[in-house]
Amino acid sequence: MQAMSVQRNKIHPHKYSLWIAMGSITMMFIGFTSAYVVKRAQANWFTFQLPMIFWISTAIILSSSFTVQMAVKQFRNRHMQRYKQLITLTAVLGVAFAVCQWIGFMQMNAMGLPLNGPASVSFIYVIVSVHLLHVLGGVVALLIMFGRAFRTRVRTYSPVPIEVAATYWHFVDALWIYLLIFLSIAR
Amino acid sequence: MSNEATLHSQQEVMHGAAAHGHGHDDHEHHHEGGFISKYVFSMDHKTIAKQFLITGILWAIVGAFFSVLFRLQLGFPDTSFPWLESILGHWAKGGHISPEAYYALVTMHGTILVFFVLTAGLSGTFSNLLIPLQVGARDMASPFMNMLSYWFFFMASCVMMCSLFVQTGPASGGWTSYPPLSALGDASIGSKIGMDLWLTSMALFVVSQLLGGLNYISTILNMRTKGMSMTKLPLTIWSFFFTAVLGVLSFPVLLSGFILLLFDRHAGTSFYLSELFVAGKALSNEGGSAILYQHLFWFLGHPEVYIIILPAMGMVSEILAVNARKPIFGYLAMVGSMFAIAILAFLVWAHHMFVTGLNPFLGAFFVLLTLLIAVPSAIKVFNWITTIWRGNIRFTPGMLFSIGFVSTFISGGLTGIWLGNSSIDIHLHDTYFVIAHFHIVMGVSAFFGTFAGVYHWFPKMFGRYLNNTLSYIHFWITLLGAYLIFWPMHYEGMAGMPRRYYDYSNWESFKQFGDLNHFISIVVIIVFAAQLMFVFNFFYSIFKGRKLTTTNPWSSTTLEWTTPINPGHGNWPGEIPEVYRWPYDYSKDGVDFIPQTVPLSKDEEAAGGH
Ligand code: HEM
Ligand SMILES: [Cu+2]
């Protein structure tokens, strides 16, 4: 009976897959924003101001990128208590971001800009909520990390999962900033 | 042990090695993993490949049977078939397929074959089977995601299958599902719940494709065995690589188009809808653009046709070289042309939209870019022909189907050049000429590639051979039948006969084609029967086929044939073989073939090696 040798790997496969997945998600938003551009070039494009709260949510998600990065650092230094606090904080900021986006929707609705209004308005709802789904996916990932940190039976020393989660988190952050700039310029 | 992922699978891998080290028959014993984890929720890429293949075959039977049904309507519009009523019920009152049923059948035929059979069934099967085996990997980068990829496809299949049985029937607005028809439930019965199920199923399908594609790319780039540089990869792997890149970049765009469509259907938005009247009533939707959907759809749609054909091209390249006992002609040109095709695939989508009122100035660019695709396509064809030219050809069933592929790819590709000229397309768009073009170049060619792959790698999958006599019969009927079915459609198209019509016998100009349609439908039935024979051969041979006695039945150079006859999970007991040379050392220096695992000789090294 022969033992099997180990697989060769250059980069960690999960990190690799994440990069490709981010490319794929980007393509979806390129799809949305190109549709937006095409639609905007047609007649009767309706313009309006985005609610201010979207800028507050931007500040929130930006600061969460810092907290998640610090969490990675604490994990590497095995300061597990700090690490747990930081990922909790990041997840809370993620939820706060979601709440702000939701309030943004309510405000738009109150301003007489409902989902089934002009296409330019509908686009905001669709693009923002599809992005929000991706942020919530990140929150779920952080909760899983959190659960793992509390396991006593199995201890994890590999920083790969939290690194993957952090990279994804920065990605949805950057994606939001791109979307916000896009939506405010291409009105 | 370098990382967690290997650790993850390591246990199972060791296990597989222990169980199969003695050369037991894979099918005859179960190790601790048990039936469920071995055959159902398996993470072994080889089992997942078989799952994709068998699901694909089942769908192909359904999809092809649907075409037989609607061909009955087209070929025999005045004849009544009472048995139709007994299987289709009120969809075929009095033995005549109803118009609604006809559109449902056509739509499902297209959806099933394009997506479920030729995308999932083809690249799902062979990417899964061959990528780890040919690059020298124990399994995919993430075996778990790979398993999910199959099960998302399975869920997509279930939803699509259910949609066939809902009261208002499945989606029936064509495989492209253009709005406004697909956006308005009141516009046709096929646009009701059937359309929602179609969109749900397709969304699941996209997820499946993305999970699979991610894995294929990271496995190819990241998990090649020692010595396997990118330029030593067999062309199959290159083709799967470009296929996966195309899928990962274009399916999300399709998804975004579907999301907007769902909003239009259910949230009252007007992305695609404007100033419409349904049943005499004006709708409130304003300001949308149906053309927007076409842009989003064809941005995927065109890469999709290459997603279908590239894997077939890769497998055909490999099989032609093996069975001509000659190195592939122009390896780098082959890779380069696949690369060019992959890039151009993203730049030509509007050739499906020449008659939508597209700005003629823009149209001119798309004509140019479309015609450019003919260049890499022609390079490939030239290289295939030069590869078999004066070769020592072994006419195995796989080889015959590969040669058939080259033939149909040429015939169908040539008509693309006509369609790619926007001024000619004004006449030919949405006629049977387009049907003939894409069935020959995509449908038939991709099926030939698939069959070639199945005949060639069946021994690797099941440790047995398919029956040869049945295979040859299958090939000749399919080749002749395909030309007899689709060649005449060019004439119908040139005469202006539109596609997607229920009955042509009422048109003075198309009456002349009554007999031709009759003839085509009869051939369709014969070809369908031949495919059932193949299915029989396939399943029969899994259990009763002649057993393999050697690990390398085709005297091939690539790594998959260095594994045991029935490899366990992990593929190679002991070390993963190291690679020293490219995969096409056939008839070199008077030696029939030199496997990739043989180190370069002194002379070769002096000559620079390959
Ligand atoms: C020489 C290269 C090719 C050129 C110039 C070309 C050009 C075209 C054009 C202009 C159309 C649109 C016709 C119309 O709707 O009026 C078309 C349709 C189509 N082509 Fe090609 N084609 C080429 C190769 C291929 C290949 C290799 C495939 C697939 C493997 C393919 C698959 C299709 C399909 C599926 C459609 C029809 C889609 C539909 O309307 O339902 N073509 N082609
Ligand atoms: Cu195309």
Side-chain angles (χ1 to χ4, degrees):
Chain A
M1 194 193 303
Q2 288 168 293
M4 282 189 178
S5 67
V6 176
Q7 177 70 48
R8 262 163 47 101
N9 264 310
K10 295 183 190 93
I11 310 175
H12 191 284
H14 292 176
K15 287 192 182 165
Y16 216 104
S17 303
L18 176 71
W19 280 99
I20 305 166
M22 294 190 309
S24 184
I25 297 172
T26 308
M27 281 308 290
M28 181 157 98
F29 284 93
I30 290 181
F32 280 127
T33 45
S34 325
Y36 185 96
V37 171
V38 170
K39 193 74 210 28
R40 181 167 165 266
Q42 294 172 352
N44 296 328
W45 181 254
F46 173 81
T47 49
F48 60 96
Q49 280 284 331
L50 286 177
M52 277 308 286
I53 192 147
F54 284 159
W55 294 95
I56 301 176
S57 55
T58 310
I60 295 177
I61 200 166
L62 260 179
S63 50
S64 72
S65 259
F66 283 106
T67 54
V68 80
Q69 198 51 40
M70 274 155 67
V72 174
K73 208 171 139 208
Q74 299 299 347
F75 186 95
R76 291 210 187 103
N77 297 336
R78 307 297 307 159
H79 293 155
M80 295 312 279
Q81 200 53 40
R82 290 263 195 75
Y83 162 73
K84 281 182 218 164
Q85 287 164 355
L86 280 165
I87 53 173
T88 316
L89 183 59
T90 312
V92 169
L93 287 173
V95 173
F97 174 81
V99 172
C100 285
Q101 305 296 76
W102 184 252
I103 295 175
F105 287 163
M106 309 290 276
Q107 288 178 346
M108 279 175 59
N109 210 11
M111 286 186 325
L113 303 171
L115 170 61
N116 60 3
S120 52
V121 178
S122 313
F123 263 118
I124 305 282
Y125 282 93
V126 173
I127 295 177
V128 171
S129 48
V130 175
H131 171 263
L132 187 55
L133 280 181
H134 287 84
V135 174
L136 293 178
V139 172
V140 172
L142 286 177
L143 291 180
I144 294 172
M145 296 290 122
F146 189 75
R148 280 197 189 177
F150 275 97
R151 272 189 318 196
T152 43
R153 217 161 49 79
V154 195
R155 283 195 185 279
T156 37
Y157 292 100
S158 164
V160 171
I162 181 66
E163 282 170 7
V164 166
T167 310
Y168 178 75
W169 196 266
H170 295 320
F171 167 71
V172 287
D173 182 355
L175 187 59
W176 170 249
I177 290 171
Y178 157 70
L179 290 174
L180 188 66
I181 293 175
F182 173 85
L183 293 175
S184 359
I185 292 178
R187 269 195 291 131
Chain B
M1 211 144 293
S2 55
N3 61 52
E4 208 206 29
T6 14
L7 270 174
H8 244 5
S9 50
Q10 196 68 7
Q11 249 189 341
E12 220 187 325
V13 167
M14 298 298 238
H15 191 139
H20 296 289
H22 317 288
H24 278 284
D25 190 334
D26 205 13
H27 295 282
E28 277 160 24
H29 78 225
H30 298 239
H31 52 80
E32 281 158 56
F35 183 81
I36 298 275
S37 71
K38 190 156 157 46
Y39 293 107
V40 185
F41 294 105
S42 169
M43 294 201 221
D44 184 342
H45 69 99
K46 298 184 291 301
T47 309
I48 296 175
K50 292 174 199 167
Q51 292 173 328
F52 269 110
L53 180 57
I54 289 172
T55 318
I57 288 179
L58 296 179
W59 269 123
I61 298 172
V62 176
F65 181 63
F66 284 3
S67 72
V68 171
L69 293 182
F70 67 68
R71 273 312 315 184
L72 284 180
Q73 162 63 28
L74 292 174
F76 310 87
D78 304 321
T79 319
S80 151
F81 301 94
W83 57 272
L84 278 178
E85 188 168 358
S86 49
I87 57 170
L88 294 178
H90 70 273
W91 295 97
K93 274 233 161 57
H96 285 284
I97 292 175
S98 70
E100 290 78 15
Y102 175 82
Y103 290 118
L105 289 169
V106 174
T107 302
M108 283 298 127
H109 165 77
T111 306
I112 291 170
L113 284 152
V114 169
F115 293 110
F116 288 12
V117 178
L118 293 178
T119 305
L122 172 51
S123 63
T125 303
F126 290 102
S127 298
N128 266 306
L129 179 74
L130 294 177
I131 290 175
L133 284 174
Q134 289 194 334
V135 306
R138 295 262 180 239
D139 204 318
M140 287 286 177
S142 169
F144 177 70
M145 261 166 54
N146 206 29
M147 178 181 82
L148 280 186
S149 161
Y150 174 75
W151 288 102
F152 268 97
F153 171 50
F154 186 81
M155 284 191 286
S157 297
C158 290
V159 175
M160 197 61 86
M161 194 46 102
C162 289
S163 84
L164 299 178
F165 295 98
V166 297
Q167 206 199 344
T168 49
S172 52
W175 76 279
T176 51
S177 286
Y178 283 171
L181 184 56
S182 62
L184 301 169
D186 295 333
S188 83
I189 62 164
S191 303
K192 295 184 197 299
I193 177 90
M195 194 63 223
D196 289 315
L197 292 171
W198 190 90
L199 287 168
T200 315
S201 169
M202 287 305 300
L204 292 167
F205 181 83
V206 169
V207 174
S208 152
Q209 286 303 303
L210 295 178
L211 290 170
L214 288 181
N215 250 318
Y216 306 152
I217 297 174
S218 52
T219 310
I220 294 172
L221 291 183
N222 207 18
M223 296 179 60
R224 301 188 307 278
T225 183
K226 207 157 165 221
M228 182 66 91
S229 59
M230 290 300 275
T231 49
K232 293 203 180 78
L233 286 174
L235 287 172
T236 35
I237 303 299
W238 274 109
S239 73
F240 299 146
F241 175 70
F242 288 120
T243 304
V245 172
L246 286 180
V248 161
L249 295 180
S250 61
F251 272 113
V253 179
L254 180 70
L255 190 59
S256 62
F258 285 167
I259 291 174
L260 298 183
L261 184 55
L262 273 174
F263 272 90
D264 271 6
R265 287 178 62 79
H266 296 294
T269 56
S270 315
F271 293 111
Y272 304 136
L273 303 173
S274 190
E275 288 135 27
L276 289 159
F277 289 82
V278 174
K281 271 206 313 231
L283 301 185
S284 62
N285 302 75
E286 226 179 295
S289 154
I291 304 296
L292 189 58
Y293 176 89
Q294 295 198 20
H295 280 295
L296 292 171
F297 184 89
W298 287 114
F299 188 83
L300 160 97
H302 188 82
E304 167 67 14
V305 306
Y306 284 98
I307 289 173
I308 289 175
I309 207 69
L310 279 171
M313 288 177 163
M315 295 194 295
V316 162
S317 308
E318 174 74 17
I319 296 169
L320 286 177
V322 172
N323 290 296
R325 311 311 291 162
K326 274 182 65 189
I328 192 82
F329 186 89
Y331 176 89
L332 281 180
M334 286 304 229
V335 176
S337 53
M338 281 196 270
F339 180 67
I341 287 176
I343 300 279
L344 286 172
F346 284 112
L347 303 175
V348 299
W349 77 91
H351 67 212
H352 297 275
M353 301 167 60
F354 284 143
V355 298
T356 57
L358 187 79
N359 182 335
F361 182 70
L362 258 181
F365 277 96
F366 281 105
V367 169
L368 183 71
L369 290 164
T370 300
L371 296 183
L372 267 183
I373 290 202
V375 175
S377 309
I379 293 177
K380 296 196 77 76
V381 167
F382 178 80
N383 287 359
W384 286 320
I385 295 175
T386 27
T387 299
I388 55 175
W389 181 252
R390 314 187 82 186
N392 196 357
I393 299 184
R394 299 185 309 204
F395 289 100
T396 62
M399 183 64 169
L400 286 179
F401 273 103
S402 301
I403 297 172
F405 169 94
V406 177
S407 155
T408 53
F409 186 74
I410 296 173
S411 337
L414 283 176
T415 53
I417 297 176
W418 267 262
L419 293 170
N421 288 282
S422 53
S423 43
I424 304 180
D425 189 55
I426 292 173
H427 176 61
L428 293 176
H429 178 67
D430 267 351
T431 65
Y432 267 70
F433 194 89
V434 177
I435 301 282
H437 159 65
F438 76 79
H439 277 86
I440 294 185
V441 76
M442 179 176 77
V444 178
S445 302
F447 259 106
F448 273 38
T450 314
F451 287 136
V454 170
Y455 283 113
H456 192 77
W457 280 288
F458 190 89
K460 189 71 258 167
M461 282 192 257
F462 299 103
R464 291 169 188 271
Y465 293 98
L466 285 155
N467 178 299
N468 256 342
T469 314
L470 289 183
S471 310
Y472 289 129
I473 300 175
H474 177 216
F475 170 74
W476 286 109
I477 296 185
T478 312
L479 181 76
L480 292 176
Y483 274 122
L484 289 178
I485 293 167
F486 294 115
W487 197 272
M489 290 187 188
H490 291 106
Y491 303 113
E492 297 182 334
M494 283 189 272
M497 191 167 121
R499 65 195 277 201
R500 294 186 168 135
Y501 278 29
Y502 171 65
D503 184 355
Y504 296 90
S505 54
N506 299 328
W507 268 271
E508 209 44 61
S509 15
F510 309 131
K511 268 192 186 143
Q512 48 168 327
F513 294 123
D515 288 339
L516 193 54
N517 280 333
H518 198 82
F519 169 76
I520 292 175
S521 296
I522 292 170
V523 183
V524 166
I525 295 167
I526 297 171
V527 172
F528 180 66
Q531 307 315 307
L532 290 182
M533 191 190 69
F534 163 76
V535 174
F536 166 78
N537 189 5
F538 181 86
F539 285 106
Y540 180 82
S541 304
I542 290 181
F543 301 104
K544 293 279 163 63
R546 188 160 54 87
K547 274 198 181 170
L548 230 65
T549 49
T550 149
T551 52
N552 191 357
W554 313 123
S555 304
S556 190
T557 58
T558 40
L559 287 183
E560 75 271 30
W561 306 106
T562 61
T563 59
I565 291 181
N566 284 306
H569 196 177
N571 300 339
W572 289 270
E575 293 289 320
I576 298 179
E578 202 177 322
V579 165
Y580 300 93
R581 56 179 73 237
W582 79 327
Y584 297 105
D585 272 343
Y586 290 103
S587 310
K588 189 184 185 192
D589 308 331
V591 186
D592 183 32
F593 73 106
I594 315 177
Q596 286 191 276
T597 50
V598 175
L600 294 182
S601 67
K602 285 253 160 51
D603 297 350
E604 284 175 313
E605 255 167 54
H610 230 307

